[in-house]
Amino acid sequence: MATKKLARQLGLIRRKSVAPTNGNVGRSKSKQLFDYLIVIDFESTCWNDGKRHQSQEIIEFPAVLLSTSTGEIESEFHTYIQPQEHPILSEFCMELTGIKQAQVDEGVPLRICLSQFCKWIQKIQQQKKIIFATGISDLSNSEVKLCAFVTWSDWDLGVCLEYECKRKQLLKPVFLNSWIDLRVTYKIFYRRKPKGLSGALQEVGIEFLGREHSGLDDSRNTALLAWKMIRDGCLMKITRSLNKVWLSLACLQRKNYNDSAHDTQHHELLTTAKYSRNHLLRPLHLMSQASVTWVEFQGVTRM
């Protein structure tokens, strides 16, 4: 029962009927489960030729780090990616996204991009004491900051990156397996279906800044919308997870636990799958070439 309660708090499991929270306008920002949100909005190869293309490739990979206490974007990651399966962009794609053929030609393969992204993640984790978790109870006495990914729909992480990595046999960072779908969250919170990202911004009185379908501009504007929703009282929760087991454990203890206690609890967690309120869920940094290692119920997965 305690495990289900933890999962429900983070939105990993939901009740059959979810009551909108917009009646609680003015909720204190300190009540947020996540101290930081990383907003991602990919741009990919696309066509308008009437044919079905099942192998879209990411050509722009942006991410912005949003503080849920200040609304400030504190860090950004951005790179263009060289498509391998369809290296020549369609005219439609270039017109829609504003991305030029020369920009992707000078970009990096997705494999290198993921390595660079992991290095950026490691850097902000070290600087801001950020951890990623798919379930946790109480961090009020901890120095670490909890962080989650945010996308506008499930397409970016649930479809585009997921299937491209499978096709190209790339190891995807496990921390990208859980995220907040802001479109779904918006619909539940405000009790209305958004008319795209730009329409959602307009409905809450925010003007879209920059160019639509620019990955970086879309990410920044999604962060603006998330901050507006937080100020209106929306509690951000995980809406989707691809993890086979929704609790990923790194079994690291708070500083006031000694090594022997840590060893005992570590063994118990891996053998009996029990969850302790005194354990943080976080990645272990074995960062050879920007790898991130996670300990899960299923064993050790090295990325």
Side-chain angles (χ1 to χ4, degrees):
M1 293 301 293
T3 300
K4 285 186 176 181
K5 182 179 178 181
L6 292 172
R8 187 172 288 115
Q9 285 177 348
L10 283 161
L12 291 165
I13 57 176
R14 288 177 281 180
R15 302 177 190 275
K16 291 183 179 180
S17 61
V18 182
T21 60
N22 60 328
N24 295 327
V25 175
R27 182 193 300 270
S28 171
K29 292 188 291 294
S30 64
K31 297 295 183 181
Q32 288 294 316
L33 297 170
F34 300 102
D35 302 282
Y36 285 97
L37 302 174
I38 296 179
V39 183
I40 287 177
D41 194 298
F42 299 138
E43 297 301 323
S44 72
T45 51
C46 52
W47 302 265
N48 191 27
D49 54 10
K51 300 178 182 179
R52 294 191 65 182
H53 297 269
Q54 298 181 347
S55 58
Q56 286 181 289
E57 296 174 274
I58 298 170
I59 55 176
E60 184 183 7
F61 193 126
V64 300
L65 178 69
L66 174 73
S67 167
T68 61
S69 61
T70 67
E72 296 293 325
I73 292 178
E74 297 187 5
S75 184
E76 293 183 343
F77 173 86
H78 182 259
T79 189
Y80 291 107
I81 300 177
Q82 226 177 56
Q84 307 292 307
E85 297 164 341
H86 302 281
I88 305 301
L89 301 182
S90 68
E91 290 294 330
F92 172 77
C93 182
M94 290 188 285
E95 183 178 347
L96 179 69
T97 65
I99 298 173
K100 307 300 183 184
Q101 183 66 46
Q103 290 176 297
V104 296
D105 288 343
E106 295 171 1
V108 298
L110 179 60
R111 176 180 60 84
I112 302 300
C113 172
L114 290 173
S115 176
Q116 294 173 346
F117 181 67
C118 284
K119 288 180 181 178
W120 178 72
I121 289 291
Q122 182 195 20
K123 180 180 178 181
I124 62 173
Q125 282 185 304
Q126 292 174 343
Q127 290 177 343
K128 303 180 185 298
K129 298 182 179 179
I130 287 176
I131 64 169
F132 297 94
T134 54
I136 204 160
S137 55
D138 183 11
L139 285 176
S140 59
N141 295 324
S142 175
E143 294 180 358
V144 297
K145 307 293 184 182
L146 196 57
C147 183
F149 288 92
V150 174
T151 60
W152 182 257
S153 85
D154 289 331
W155 177 83
D156 300 85
L157 296 178
V159 177
C160 190
L161 181 64
E162 178 73 8
Y163 288 105
E164 185 172 352
C165 285
K166 286 181 178 179
R167 289 197 314 272
K168 297 180 177 180
Q169 299 183 328
L170 301 177
L171 292 175
K172 187 185 72 173
V174 203
F175 52 73
L176 291 175
N177 279 348
S178 299
W179 64 89
I180 298 167
D181 178 350
L182 199 66
R183 184 172 67 177
V184 166
T185 305
Y186 179 100
K187 182 179 179 180
I188 294 172
F189 180 69
Y190 289 117
R191 293 187 177 184
R192 59 177 179 259
K193 185 177 180 179
K195 298 178 181 179
L197 175 59
S198 180
L201 287 163
Q202 290 178 6
E203 288 173 349
V204 296
I206 300 175
E207 181 181 355
F208 189 99
L209 301 176
R211 188 190 196 283
E212 290 188 51
H213 300 297
S214 157
L216 185 57
D217 286 344
D218 283 352
S219 297
R220 290 167 175 168
N221 281 276
T222 303
L224 286 176
L225 179 59
W227 173 239
K228 168 62 176 173
M229 292 171 66
I230 289 171
R231 285 185 292 135
D232 283 351
C234 180
L235 183 63
M236 295 294 168
K237 296 183 179 181
I238 298 293
T239 60
R240 182 77 186 276
S241 177
L242 300 178
N243 293 327
K244 293 180 181 179
V245 179
W246 49 257
L247 286 181
S248 298
L249 296 178
C251 305
L252 296 182
Q253 303 220 308
R254 297 182 191 269
K255 293 181 179 179
N256 60 339
Y257 276 70
N258 59 37
D259 292 339
S260 60
H262 173 270
D263 293 339
T264 301
Q265 294 282 1
H266 182 97
H267 176 74
E268 181 183 25
L269 280 161
L270 291 179
T271 54
T272 67
K274 291 182 179 179
Y275 181 81
S276 167
R277 290 174 60 88
N278 295 314
H279 283 84
L280 301 180
L281 311 185
R282 57 168 295 175
L284 299 175
H285 296 299
L286 302 180
M287 301 300 293
S288 173
Q289 296 182 347
S291 64
V292 178
T293 301
W294 286 70
V295 180
E296 299 182 348
F297 286 153
Q298 299 293 336
V300 177
T301 302
R302 177 168 295 173
M303 300 304 295

PDB file of all heavy atoms in Angstrom, residues 251-283:
ATOM      1  N   CYS A 251      19.485   3.065  -4.571  1.00  0.00           N
ATOM      2  CA  CYS A 251      19.778   2.577  -3.220  1.00  0.00           C
ATOM      3  C   CYS A 251      20.863   3.386  -2.519  1.00  0.00           C
ATOM      4  O   CYS A 251      21.702   2.833  -1.811  1.00  0.00           O
ATOM      5  CB  CYS A 251      20.195   1.108  -3.268  1.00  0.00           C
ATOM      6  SG  CYS A 251      19.006   0.045  -4.077  1.00  0.00           S
ATOM      7  N   LEU A 252      20.871   4.678  -2.736  1.00  0.00           N
ATOM      8  CA  LEU A 252      21.820   5.531  -2.031  1.00  0.00           C
ATOM      9  C   LEU A 252      21.136   6.119  -0.810  1.00  0.00           C
ATOM     10  O   LEU A 252      20.018   6.587  -0.886  1.00  0.00           O
ATOM     11  CB  LEU A 252      22.304   6.661  -2.947  1.00  0.00           C
ATOM     12  CG  LEU A 252      23.089   6.206  -4.165  1.00  0.00           C
ATOM     13  CD1 LEU A 252      23.546   7.421  -4.945  1.00  0.00           C
ATOM     14  CD2 LEU A 252      24.273   5.366  -3.752  1.00  0.00           C
ATOM     15  N   GLN A 253      21.819   6.128   0.303  1.00  0.00           N
ATOM     16  CA  GLN A 253      21.212   6.567   1.537  1.00  0.00           C
ATOM     17  C   GLN A 253      21.559   8.003   1.853  1.00  0.00           C
ATOM     18  O   GLN A 253      22.466   8.586   1.285  1.00  0.00           O
ATOM     19  CB  GLN A 253      21.714   5.667   2.668  1.00  0.00           C
ATOM     20  CG  GLN A 253      21.424   4.187   2.402  1.00  0.00           C
ATOM     21  CD  GLN A 253      21.001   3.496   3.647  1.00  0.00           C
ATOM     22  OE1 GLN A 253      21.684   3.599   4.633  1.00  0.00           O
ATOM     23  NE2 GLN A 253      19.878   2.838   3.603  1.00  0.00           N
ATOM     24  N   ARG A 254      20.782   8.587   2.773  1.00  0.00           N
ATOM     25  CA  ARG A 254      21.092   9.926   3.237  1.00  0.00           C
ATOM     26  C   ARG A 254      22.408   9.900   4.003  1.00  0.00           C
ATOM     27  O   ARG A 254      22.892   8.863   4.441  1.00  0.00           O
ATOM     28  CB  ARG A 254      19.964  10.447   4.124  1.00  0.00           C
ATOM     29  CG  ARG A 254      18.640  10.574   3.378  1.00  0.00           C
ATOM     30  CD  ARG A 254      17.606  11.143   4.314  1.00  0.00           C
ATOM     31  NE  ARG A 254      16.277  11.055   3.746  1.00  0.00           N
ATOM     32  CZ  ARG A 254      15.715  11.992   3.016  1.00  0.00           C
ATOM     33  NH1 ARG A 254      16.382  13.094   2.745  1.00  0.00           N
ATOM     34  NH2 ARG A 254      14.499  11.850   2.531  1.00  0.00           N
ATOM     35  N   LYS A 255      22.988  11.082   4.151  1.00  0.00           N
ATOM     36  CA  LYS A 255      24.349  11.182   4.679  1.00  0.00           C
ATOM     37  C   LYS A 255      24.484  10.659   6.103  1.00  0.00           C
ATOM     38  O   LYS A 255      25.571  10.300   6.537  1.00  0.00           O
ATOM     39  CB  LYS A 255      24.803  12.641   4.621  1.00  0.00           C
ATOM     40  CG  LYS A 255      24.969  13.153   3.196  1.00  0.00           C
ATOM     41  CD  LYS A 255      25.434  14.595   3.184  1.00  0.00           C
ATOM     42  CE  LYS A 255      25.626  15.084   1.776  1.00  0.00           C
ATOM     43  NZ  LYS A 255      26.067  16.504   1.735  1.00  0.00           N
ATOM     44  N   ASN A 256      23.399  10.612   6.863  1.00  0.00           N
ATOM     45  CA  ASN A 256      23.507  10.215   8.265  1.00  0.00           C
ATOM     46  C   ASN A 256      23.474   8.699   8.449  1.00  0.00           C
ATOM     47  O   ASN A 256      23.406   8.210   9.573  1.00  0.00           O
ATOM     48  CB  ASN A 256      22.404  10.869   9.100  1.00  0.00           C
ATOM     49  CG  ASN A 256      21.014  10.484   8.614  1.00  0.00           C
ATOM     50  OD1 ASN A 256      20.863  10.072   7.475  1.00  0.00           O
ATOM     51  ND2 ASN A 256      20.025  10.642   9.458  1.00  0.00           N
ATOM     52  N   TYR A 257      23.490   7.948   7.332  1.00  0.00           N
ATOM     53  CA  TYR A 257      23.565   6.503   7.448  1.00  0.00           C
ATOM     54  C   TYR A 257      25.013   6.062   7.241  1.00  0.00           C
ATOM     55  O   TYR A 257      25.693   6.542   6.357  1.00  0.00           O
ATOM     56  CB  TYR A 257      22.676   5.834   6.390  1.00  0.00           C
ATOM     57  CG  TYR A 257      21.243   5.717   6.818  1.00  0.00           C
ATOM     58  CD1 TYR A 257      20.450   6.868   6.910  1.00  0.00           C
ATOM     59  CD2 TYR A 257      20.694   4.491   7.124  1.00  0.00           C
ATOM     60  CE1 TYR A 257      19.122   6.782   7.294  1.00  0.00           C
ATOM     61  CE2 TYR A 257      19.372   4.400   7.513  1.00  0.00           C
ATOM     62  CZ  TYR A 257      18.592   5.545   7.593  1.00  0.00           C
ATOM     63  OH  TYR A 257      17.282   5.442   7.986  1.00  0.00           O
ATOM     64  N   ASN A 258      25.455   5.105   8.076  1.00  0.00           N
ATOM     65  CA  ASN A 258      26.843   4.647   7.939  1.00  0.00           C
ATOM     66  C   ASN A 258      26.946   3.569   6.858  1.00  0.00           C
ATOM     67  O   ASN A 258      25.957   3.071   6.337  1.00  0.00           O
ATOM     68  CB  ASN A 258      27.389   4.118   9.276  1.00  0.00           C
ATOM     69  CG  ASN A 258      26.553   2.972   9.810  1.00  0.00           C
ATOM     70  OD1 ASN A 258      26.070   2.157   9.045  1.00  0.00           O
ATOM     71  ND2 ASN A 258      26.393   2.920  11.121  1.00  0.00           N
ATOM     72  N   ASP A 259      28.166   3.211   6.531  1.00  0.00           N
ATOM     73  CA  ASP A 259      28.390   2.288   5.421  1.00  0.00           C
ATOM     74  C   ASP A 259      27.784   0.917   5.676  1.00  0.00           C
ATOM     75  O   ASP A 259      27.240   0.285   4.774  1.00  0.00           O
ATOM     76  CB  ASP A 259      29.885   2.140   5.149  1.00  0.00           C
ATOM     77  CG  ASP A 259      30.481   3.420   4.591  1.00  0.00           C
ATOM     78  OD1 ASP A 259      29.699   4.227   4.058  1.00  0.00           O
ATOM     79  OD2 ASP A 259      31.703   3.590   4.699  1.00  0.00           O
ATOM     80  N   SER A 260      27.865   0.430   6.888  1.00  0.00           N
ATOM     81  CA  SER A 260      27.347  -0.906   7.169  1.00  0.00           C
ATOM     82  C   SER A 260      25.835  -0.945   7.031  1.00  0.00           C
ATOM     83  O   SER A 260      25.271  -1.897   6.496  1.00  0.00           O
ATOM     84  CB  SER A 260      27.747  -1.338   8.591  1.00  0.00           C
ATOM     85  OG  SER A 260      27.211  -0.431   9.543  1.00  0.00           O
ATOM     86  N   ALA A 261      25.186   0.098   7.506  1.00  0.00           N
ATOM     87  CA  ALA A 261      23.732   0.173   7.349  1.00  0.00           C
ATOM     88  C   ALA A 261      23.370   0.251   5.871  1.00  0.00           C
ATOM     89  O   ALA A 261      22.414  -0.361   5.417  1.00  0.00           O
ATOM     90  CB  ALA A 261      23.176   1.389   8.091  1.00  0.00           C
ATOM     91  N   HIS A 262      24.169   1.007   5.130  1.00  0.00           N
ATOM     92  CA  HIS A 262      23.928   1.137   3.695  1.00  0.00           C
ATOM     93  C   HIS A 262      24.021  -0.208   2.986  1.00  0.00           C
ATOM     94  O   HIS A 262      23.181  -0.569   2.173  1.00  0.00           O
ATOM     95  CB  HIS A 262      24.934   2.100   3.076  1.00  0.00           C
ATOM     96  CG  HIS A 262      24.855   2.168   1.577  1.00  0.00           C
ATOM     97  ND1 HIS A 262      25.594   1.334   0.777  1.00  0.00           N
ATOM     98  CD2 HIS A 262      24.099   2.943   0.759  1.00  0.00           C
ATOM     99  CE1 HIS A 262      25.317   1.590  -0.488  1.00  0.00           C
ATOM    100  NE2 HIS A 262      24.420   2.562  -0.531  1.00  0.00           N
ATOM    101  N   ASP A 263      25.068  -1.012   3.322  1.00  0.00           N
ATOM    102  CA  ASP A 263      25.252  -2.303   2.683  1.00  0.00           C
ATOM    103  C   ASP A 263      24.082  -3.227   2.959  1.00  0.00           C
ATOM    104  O   ASP A 263      23.605  -3.935   2.070  1.00  0.00           O
ATOM    105  CB  ASP A 263      26.545  -2.954   3.172  1.00  0.00           C
ATOM    106  CG  ASP A 263      27.773  -2.181   2.692  1.00  0.00           C
ATOM    107  OD1 ASP A 263      27.638  -1.426   1.707  1.00  0.00           O
ATOM    108  OD2 ASP A 263      28.837  -2.334   3.308  1.00  0.00           O
ATOM    109  N   THR A 264      23.598  -3.227   4.197  1.00  0.00           N
ATOM    110  CA  THR A 264      22.486  -4.086   4.574  1.00  0.00           C
ATOM    111  C   THR A 264      21.216  -3.702   3.824  1.00  0.00           C
ATOM    112  O   THR A 264      20.525  -4.544   3.256  1.00  0.00           O
ATOM    113  CB  THR A 264      22.229  -4.002   6.096  1.00  0.00           C
ATOM    114  OG1 THR A 264      23.413  -4.388   6.770  1.00  0.00           O
ATOM    115  CG2 THR A 264      21.080  -4.914   6.493  1.00  0.00           C
ATOM    116  N   GLN A 265      20.905  -2.395   3.824  1.00  0.00           N
ATOM    117  CA  GLN A 265      19.694  -1.927   3.166  1.00  0.00           C
ATOM    118  C   GLN A 265      19.793  -2.114   1.657  1.00  0.00           C
ATOM    119  O   GLN A 265      18.813  -2.436   0.992  1.00  0.00           O
ATOM    120  CB  GLN A 265      19.470  -0.448   3.486  1.00  0.00           C
ATOM    121  CG  GLN A 265      19.163  -0.161   4.953  1.00  0.00           C
ATOM    122  CD  GLN A 265      17.709  -0.488   5.304  1.00  0.00           C
ATOM    123  OE1 GLN A 265      16.954  -0.941   4.465  1.00  0.00           O
ATOM    124  NE2 GLN A 265      17.346  -0.238   6.547  1.00  0.00           N
ATOM    125  N   HIS A 266      20.965  -1.916   1.105  1.00  0.00           N
ATOM    126  CA  HIS A 266      21.180  -2.067  -0.337  1.00  0.00           C
ATOM    127  C   HIS A 266      20.847  -3.502  -0.757  1.00  0.00           C
ATOM    128  O   HIS A 266      20.121  -3.728  -1.730  1.00  0.00           O
ATOM    129  CB  HIS A 266      22.627  -1.740  -0.672  1.00  0.00           C
ATOM    130  CG  HIS A 266      22.955  -1.827  -2.134  1.00  0.00           C
ATOM    131  ND1 HIS A 266      22.962  -0.726  -2.949  1.00  0.00           N
ATOM    132  CD2 HIS A 266      23.267  -2.884  -2.914  1.00  0.00           C
ATOM    133  CE1 HIS A 266      23.272  -1.094  -4.172  1.00  0.00           C
ATOM    134  NE2 HIS A 266      23.469  -2.405  -4.170  1.00  0.00           N
ATOM    135  N   HIS A 267      21.358  -4.473   0.000  1.00  0.00           N
ATOM    136  CA  HIS A 267      21.111  -5.871  -0.315  1.00  0.00           C
ATOM    137  C   HIS A 267      19.631  -6.198  -0.192  1.00  0.00           C
ATOM    138  O   HIS A 267      19.059  -6.894  -1.032  1.00  0.00           O
ATOM    139  CB  HIS A 267      21.938  -6.769   0.628  1.00  0.00           C
ATOM    140  CG  HIS A 267      21.663  -8.229   0.430  1.00  0.00           C
ATOM    141  ND1 HIS A 267      22.126  -8.930  -0.671  1.00  0.00           N
ATOM    142  CD2 HIS A 267      20.953  -9.119   1.180  1.00  0.00           C
ATOM    143  CE1 HIS A 267      21.720 -10.195  -0.587  1.00  0.00           C
ATOM    144  NE2 HIS A 267      21.013 -10.331   0.518  1.00  0.00           N
ATOM    145  N   GLU A 268      18.991  -5.680   0.853  1.00  0.00           N
ATOM    146  CA  GLU A 268      17.574  -5.960   1.078  1.00  0.00           C
ATOM    147  C   GLU A 268      16.722  -5.426  -0.067  1.00  0.00           C
ATOM    148  O   GLU A 268      15.809  -6.093  -0.540  1.00  0.00           O
ATOM    149  CB  GLU A 268      17.114  -5.333   2.391  1.00  0.00           C
ATOM    150  CG  GLU A 268      15.634  -5.628   2.701  1.00  0.00           C
ATOM    151  CD  GLU A 268      15.172  -4.935   3.967  1.00  0.00           C
ATOM    152  OE1 GLU A 268      15.779  -3.921   4.317  1.00  0.00           O
ATOM    153  OE2 GLU A 268      14.212  -5.414   4.566  1.00  0.00           O
ATOM    154  N   LEU A 269      17.040  -4.224  -0.533  1.00  0.00           N
ATOM    155  CA  LEU A 269      16.261  -3.623  -1.613  1.00  0.00           C
ATOM    156  C   LEU A 269      16.378  -4.419  -2.905  1.00  0.00           C
ATOM    157  O   LEU A 269      15.397  -4.598  -3.623  1.00  0.00           O
ATOM    158  CB  LEU A 269      16.708  -2.180  -1.849  1.00  0.00           C
ATOM    159  CG  LEU A 269      16.127  -1.178  -0.863  1.00  0.00           C
ATOM    160  CD1 LEU A 269      16.975   0.083  -0.878  1.00  0.00           C
ATOM    161  CD2 LEU A 269      14.690  -0.846  -1.216  1.00  0.00           C
ATOM    162  N   LEU A 270      17.576  -4.904  -3.197  1.00  0.00           N
ATOM    163  CA  LEU A 270      17.773  -5.614  -4.455  1.00  0.00           C
ATOM    164  C   LEU A 270      17.214  -7.025  -4.415  1.00  0.00           C
ATOM    165  O   LEU A 270      16.898  -7.607  -5.445  1.00  0.00           O
ATOM    166  CB  LEU A 270      19.260  -5.667  -4.813  1.00  0.00           C
ATOM    167  CG  LEU A 270      19.884  -4.332  -5.203  1.00  0.00           C
ATOM    168  CD1 LEU A 270      21.359  -4.536  -5.512  1.00  0.00           C
ATOM    169  CD2 LEU A 270      19.181  -3.732  -6.400  1.00  0.00           C
ATOM    170  N   THR A 271      17.081  -7.613  -3.209  1.00  0.00           N
ATOM    171  CA  THR A 271      16.631  -8.989  -3.113  1.00  0.00           C
ATOM    172  C   THR A 271      15.145  -9.117  -2.794  1.00  0.00           C
ATOM    173  O   THR A 271      14.508 -10.076  -3.179  1.00  0.00           O
ATOM    174  CB  THR A 271      17.421  -9.748  -2.031  1.00  0.00           C
ATOM    175  OG1 THR A 271      17.329  -9.023  -0.794  1.00  0.00           O
ATOM    176  CG2 THR A 271      18.881  -9.884  -2.432  1.00  0.00           C
ATOM    177  N   THR A 272      14.582  -8.142  -2.095  1.00  0.00           N
ATOM    178  CA  THR A 272      13.173  -8.251  -1.705  1.00  0.00           C
ATOM    179  C   THR A 272      12.309  -7.182  -2.337  1.00  0.00           C
ATOM    180  O   THR A 272      11.102  -7.212  -2.188  1.00  0.00           O
ATOM    181  CB  THR A 272      13.018  -8.149  -0.172  1.00  0.00           C
ATOM    182  OG1 THR A 272      13.379  -6.827   0.245  1.00  0.00           O
ATOM    183  CG2 THR A 272      13.900  -9.154   0.538  1.00  0.00           C
ATOM    184  N   ALA A 273      12.928  -6.219  -3.045  1.00  0.00           N
ATOM    185  CA  ALA A 273      12.186  -5.152  -3.731  1.00  0.00           C
ATOM    186  C   ALA A 273      11.347  -4.330  -2.770  1.00  0.00           C
ATOM    187  O   ALA A 273      10.258  -3.896  -3.083  1.00  0.00           O
ATOM    188  CB  ALA A 273      11.310  -5.735  -4.833  1.00  0.00           C
ATOM    189  N   LYS A 274      11.864  -4.127  -1.553  1.00  0.00           N
ATOM    190  CA  LYS A 274      11.176  -3.261  -0.599  1.00  0.00           C
ATOM    191  C   LYS A 274      11.629  -1.829  -0.810  1.00  0.00           C
ATOM    192  O   LYS A 274      12.725  -1.575  -1.268  1.00  0.00           O
ATOM    193  CB  LYS A 274      11.480  -3.679   0.838  1.00  0.00           C
ATOM    194  CG  LYS A 274      10.858  -5.023   1.216  1.00  0.00           C
ATOM    195  CD  LYS A 274      11.162  -5.346   2.663  1.00  0.00           C
ATOM    196  CE  LYS A 274      10.542  -6.677   3.072  1.00  0.00           C
ATOM    197  NZ  LYS A 274      10.862  -7.010   4.477  1.00  0.00           N
ATOM    198  N   TYR A 275      10.792  -0.889  -0.437  1.00  0.00           N
ATOM    199  CA  TYR A 275      11.128   0.520  -0.586  1.00  0.00           C
ATOM    200  C   TYR A 275      11.192   1.169   0.781  1.00  0.00           C
ATOM    201  O   TYR A 275      10.296   0.991   1.601  1.00  0.00           O
ATOM    202  CB  TYR A 275      10.078   1.243  -1.431  1.00  0.00           C
ATOM    203  CG  TYR A 275      10.407   2.696  -1.620  1.00  0.00           C
ATOM    204  CD1 TYR A 275      11.316   3.102  -2.582  1.00  0.00           C
ATOM    205  CD2 TYR A 275       9.834   3.654  -0.795  1.00  0.00           C
ATOM    206  CE1 TYR A 275      11.631   4.436  -2.725  1.00  0.00           C
ATOM    207  CE2 TYR A 275      10.152   4.990  -0.940  1.00  0.00           C
ATOM    208  CZ  TYR A 275      11.040   5.376  -1.900  1.00  0.00           C
ATOM    209  OH  TYR A 275      11.355   6.689  -2.052  1.00  0.00           O
ATOM    210  N   SER A 276      12.265   1.884   1.038  1.00  0.00           N
ATOM    211  CA  SER A 276      12.427   2.570   2.305  1.00  0.00           C
ATOM    212  C   SER A 276      12.306   4.069   2.105  1.00  0.00           C
ATOM    213  O   SER A 276      12.788   4.616   1.132  1.00  0.00           O
ATOM    214  CB  SER A 276      13.806   2.249   2.903  1.00  0.00           C
ATOM    215  OG  SER A 276      14.092   3.122   3.968  1.00  0.00           O
ATOM    216  N   ARG A 277      11.655   4.760   3.023  1.00  0.00           N
ATOM    217  CA  ARG A 277      11.520   6.208   2.948  1.00  0.00           C
ATOM    218  C   ARG A 277      12.877   6.887   3.054  1.00  0.00           C
ATOM    219  O   ARG A 277      13.008   8.057   2.728  1.00  0.00           O
ATOM    220  CB  ARG A 277      10.609   6.716   4.064  1.00  0.00           C
ATOM    221  CG  ARG A 277       9.153   6.347   3.874  1.00  0.00           C
ATOM    222  CD  ARG A 277       8.344   6.754   5.079  1.00  0.00           C
ATOM    223  NE  ARG A 277       8.400   8.190   5.313  1.00  0.00           N
ATOM    224  CZ  ARG A 277       7.566   9.058   4.763  1.00  0.00           C
ATOM    225  NH1 ARG A 277       6.638   8.635   3.926  1.00  0.00           N
ATOM    226  NH2 ARG A 277       7.652  10.351   5.036  1.00  0.00           N
ATOM    227  N   ASN A 278      13.890   6.175   3.494  1.00  0.00           N
ATOM    228  CA  ASN A 278      15.199   6.787   3.681  1.00  0.00           C
ATOM    229  C   ASN A 278      16.135   6.571   2.493  1.00  0.00           C
ATOM    230  O   ASN A 278      17.321   6.775   2.590  1.00  0.00           O
ATOM    231  CB  ASN A 278      15.858   6.219   4.947  1.00  0.00           C
ATOM    232  CG  ASN A 278      15.100   6.593   6.182  1.00  0.00           C
ATOM    233  OD1 ASN A 278      14.712   7.733   6.348  1.00  0.00           O
ATOM    234  ND2 ASN A 278      14.842   5.616   7.044  1.00  0.00           N
ATOM    235  N   HIS A 279      15.570   6.104   1.370  1.00  0.00           N
ATOM    236  CA  HIS A 279      16.394   5.892   0.189  1.00  0.00           C
ATOM    237  C   HIS A 279      16.022   6.884  -0.895  1.00  0.00           C
ATOM    238  O   HIS A 279      14.859   7.136  -1.151  1.00  0.00           O
ATOM    239  CB  HIS A 279      16.210   4.471  -0.351  1.00  0.00           C
ATOM    240  CG  HIS A 279      16.958   3.455   0.451  1.00  0.00           C
ATOM    241  ND1 HIS A 279      16.445   2.900   1.596  1.00  0.00           N
ATOM    242  CD2 HIS A 279      18.190   2.903   0.281  1.00  0.00           C
ATOM    243  CE1 HIS A 279      17.304   2.035   2.090  1.00  0.00           C
ATOM    244  NE2 HIS A 279      18.369   2.023   1.321  1.00  0.00           N
ATOM    245  N   LEU A 280      17.023   7.415  -1.528  1.00  0.00           N
ATOM    246  CA  LEU A 280      16.817   8.288  -2.682  1.00  0.00           C
ATOM    247  C   LEU A 280      16.864   7.444  -3.940  1.00  0.00           C
ATOM    248  O   LEU A 280      17.553   6.449  -4.000  1.00  0.00           O
ATOM    249  CB  LEU A 280      17.933   9.346  -2.754  1.00  0.00           C
ATOM    250  CG  LEU A 280      18.067  10.256  -1.540  1.00  0.00           C
ATOM    251  CD1 LEU A 280      19.217  11.225  -1.796  1.00  0.00           C
ATOM    252  CD2 LEU A 280      16.785  11.007  -1.286  1.00  0.00           C
ATOM    253  N   LEU A 281      16.122   7.874  -4.961  1.00  0.00           N
ATOM    254  CA  LEU A 281      16.191   7.226  -6.254  1.00  0.00           C
ATOM    255  C   LEU A 281      17.003   8.138  -7.153  1.00  0.00           C
ATOM    256  O   LEU A 281      16.582   9.224  -7.475  1.00  0.00           O
ATOM    257  CB  LEU A 281      14.784   7.039  -6.822  1.00  0.00           C
ATOM    258  CG  LEU A 281      13.786   6.409  -5.852  1.00  0.00           C
ATOM    259  CD1 LEU A 281      12.485   6.162  -6.553  1.00  0.00           C
ATOM    260  CD2 LEU A 281      14.340   5.106  -5.309  1.00  0.00           C
ATOM    261  N   ARG A 282      18.150   7.699  -7.571  1.00  0.00           N
ATOM    262  CA  ARG A 282      19.018   8.600  -8.320  1.00  0.00           C
ATOM    263  C   ARG A 282      20.003   7.805  -9.165  1.00  0.00           C
ATOM    264  O   ARG A 282      20.259   6.641  -8.905  1.00  0.00           O
ATOM    265  CB  ARG A 282      19.785   9.516  -7.379  1.00  0.00           C
ATOM    266  CG  ARG A 282      20.614   8.788  -6.345  1.00  0.00           C
ATOM    267  CD  ARG A 282      21.553   9.734  -5.640  1.00  0.00           C
ATOM    268  NE  ARG A 282      22.528  10.280  -6.543  1.00  0.00           N
ATOM    269  CZ  ARG A 282      23.413  11.205  -6.204  1.00  0.00           C
ATOM    270  NH1 ARG A 282      23.420  11.689  -4.990  1.00  0.00           N
ATOM    271  NH2 ARG A 282      24.285  11.674  -7.083  1.00  0.00           N
ATOM    272  N   PRO A 283      20.588   8.412 -10.176  1.00  0.00           N
ATOM    273  CA  PRO A 283      21.587   7.719 -10.984  1.00  0.00           C
ATOM    274  C   PRO A 283      22.927   7.676 -10.279  1.00  0.00           C
ATOM    275  O   PRO A 283      23.273   8.578  -9.539  1.00  0.00           O
ATOM    276  CB  PRO A 283      21.670   8.575 -12.253  1.00  0.00           C
ATOM    277  CG  PRO A 283      21.298   9.937 -11.788  1.00  0.00           C
ATOM    278  CD  PRO A 283      20.305   9.740 -10.682  1.00  0.00           C
TER     279      PRO A 283
END
